[in-house]
Amino acid sequence: MSRRKGEKPEASSYHVLYKLPPGDSPYVRAKHVQLVEKDPDAAIAWFWKAINAGDRVDSALKDMAVVMKQQDRANEAIEAINSFRHLCSKQAQESLDNVLIDLYKKCGRVEEQIELLKQKLRMIYEGEVFNGKTTKTARSHGKKFQVTIKQETSRILGNLGWAYMQQGNYMAAEVVYQKAQTIDPDANKACNLCMCLIKQQRYAEAESILEEVLQGKLLGSDDPKSKNRCEELVREIKQCQSPVLSSNSLGLKIEDAFLEGLDKLMNQWTPFRSRRLPIFEEISPFRDQLAC
């Protein structure tokens, strides 16, 4: 039988309707204020109460940081995570790291973002993520899906490449994007790789990659944003090309020296890796660039 107008829903259906946890604890109140009353400042206050009361601290700290980011309080969120993450379980640390990476990016704290991304890559290399498995269940916009260790590695490499680009270090960004594309290629990372090549005046290589996107050979090639960006990059190449002032050979020499240095470092770094995952056999030539 349907409820009459003005009649309150039962507690169980109410929580299901708004995707709220059961009960009336500080964390439940925080989620109610966040999702139902839509009062972010009040929600943050209740999340603090939940953390201090030891009520679902893993979720309370992460959710509070996300709300703070939405309120342009990203630096405050960073301090909160760094100060209270020791209260959270080991299983929650990976999620907190992901939130921190987004916060560092929003604040323009690129150095800290790079260090954390390298730390996550080291953890993958050591087999310390996914509880030793090759896949994990992730959630986005309320939907669950499976993520493979290859996809996670490529995602982190893509974020690292973007961070290097913000520093203007296009050579390091290129190396990282190249390996990300080897593992799990897509149109977005291809466009970023092309930007790195354009900045090094290696237009022919960039054009070759853009052609793959335009021909729909990469995942996400049919996305309107990817197509538009690809077309913009093609126009940029045409504007920048100059046969007289081309310096491709110089760029390649720098690249060769850079990669040779990485190979030397790799040969010096040979500790035993008892829990090494197969994915890192594919990116081992670049591991010192990622882990140093």
Side-chain angles (χ1 to χ4, degrees):
M1 182 180 294
S2 61
R3 295 190 302 273
R4 295 177 181 175
K5 186 177 181 180
E7 183 179 351
K8 292 183 178 180
E10 295 180 2
S12 58
S13 62
Y14 180 82
H15 283 80
V16 171
L17 178 63
Y18 290 101
K19 298 181 180 180
L20 298 173
D24 193 36
S25 66
Y27 178 73
V28 175
R29 286 173 176 260
K31 295 301 291 183
H32 181 277
V33 173
Q34 176 194 2
L35 300 175
V36 181
E37 299 180 19
K38 300 188 182 303
D39 186 342
D41 290 329
I44 290 172
W46 276 107
F47 281 129
W48 274 124
K49 292 180 181 179
I51 294 169
N52 292 328
D55 178 25
R56 306 192 190 197
V57 178
D58 291 3
S59 297
L61 183 58
K62 184 180 72 172
D63 291 349
M64 182 179 71
V66 171
V67 175
M68 285 180 169
K69 177 187 174 185
Q70 295 169 349
Q71 294 300 106
D72 291 326
R73 297 165 61 180
N75 280 305
E76 186 178 346
I78 291 171
E79 294 306 315
I81 291 178
N82 288 332
S83 298
F84 292 94
R85 67 183 305 166
H86 68 279
L87 300 176
C88 298
S89 66
K90 183 178 180 181
Q91 291 74 19
Q93 300 303 318
E94 186 177 347
S95 294
L96 291 173
D97 282 341
N98 290 333
V99 175
L100 267 180
I101 289 170
D102 286 339
L103 291 168
Y104 286 142
K105 183 177 181 179
K106 183 176 179 64
C107 295
R109 294 165 65 166
V110 181
E111 288 288 347
E112 290 160 290
Q113 182 186 359
I114 288 174
E115 285 307 310
L116 187 50
L117 288 167
K118 287 182 176 180
Q119 177 182 316
K120 288 181 72 66
L121 286 168
R122 283 195 295 268
M123 291 176 67
I124 294 176
Y125 179 77
E126 297 286 354
E128 296 177 1
V129 298
F130 290 20
N131 294 317
K133 300 178 181 179
T134 57
T135 62
K136 74 171 182 178
T137 301
R139 184 186 296 271
S140 178
H141 304 293
K143 296 182 179 181
K144 293 182 179 180
F145 57 95
Q146 291 295 310
V147 177
T148 67
I149 195 73
K150 281 192 173 185
Q151 290 172 327
E152 180 70 358
T153 304
S154 181
R155 184 186 70 83
I156 295 173
L157 286 169
N159 287 337
L160 181 59
W162 181 256
Y164 279 134
M165 286 179 69
Q166 304 316 297
Q167 291 185 323
N169 191 348
Y170 296 106
M171 189 175 293
E174 178 208 340
V175 171
V176 174
Y177 276 126
Q178 290 278 16
K179 296 317 297 178
Q181 288 295 83
T182 300
I183 298 168
D184 189 35
D186 63 49
N188 181 56
K189 291 195 293 287
C191 288
N192 288 339
L193 173 58
C194 287
M195 177 60 72
C196 295
L197 294 171
I198 291 171
K199 291 295 183 180
Q200 298 176 69
Q201 299 182 356
R202 292 158 58 188
Y203 305 122
E205 295 171 70
E207 284 181 319
S208 176
I209 295 172
L210 289 174
E211 188 64 27
E212 291 185 348
V213 179
L214 291 173
Q215 292 178 0
K217 294 182 178 180
L218 298 178
L219 180 66
S221 296
D222 57 347
D223 181 76
K225 291 183 179 179
S226 295
K227 284 186 176 181
N228 291 337
R229 189 176 179 209
C230 191
E231 292 170 356
E232 290 174 0
L233 289 171
V234 170
R235 288 194 294 270
E236 183 174 346
I237 289 174
K238 290 181 179 180
Q239 292 174 355
C240 294
Q241 278 179 325
S242 173
V244 177
L245 300 177
S246 175
S247 59
N248 286 352
S249 59
L250 177 60
L252 289 172
K253 288 181 180 178
I254 295 174
E255 180 193 10
D256 290 342
F258 180 62
L259 297 181
E260 182 180 353
L262 290 179
D263 289 337
K264 289 180 180 179
L265 286 173
M266 181 192 71
N267 293 332
Q268 296 173 3
W269 189 47
T270 56
F272 178 68
R273 302 295 188 216
S274 61
R275 301 174 64 189
R276 180 172 179 170
L277 296 175
I279 180 63
F280 277 90
E281 295 295 340
E282 301 179 26
I283 66 173
S284 59
F286 298 89
R287 63 186 181 183
D288 290 281
Q289 166 67 18
L290 306 176
C292 63

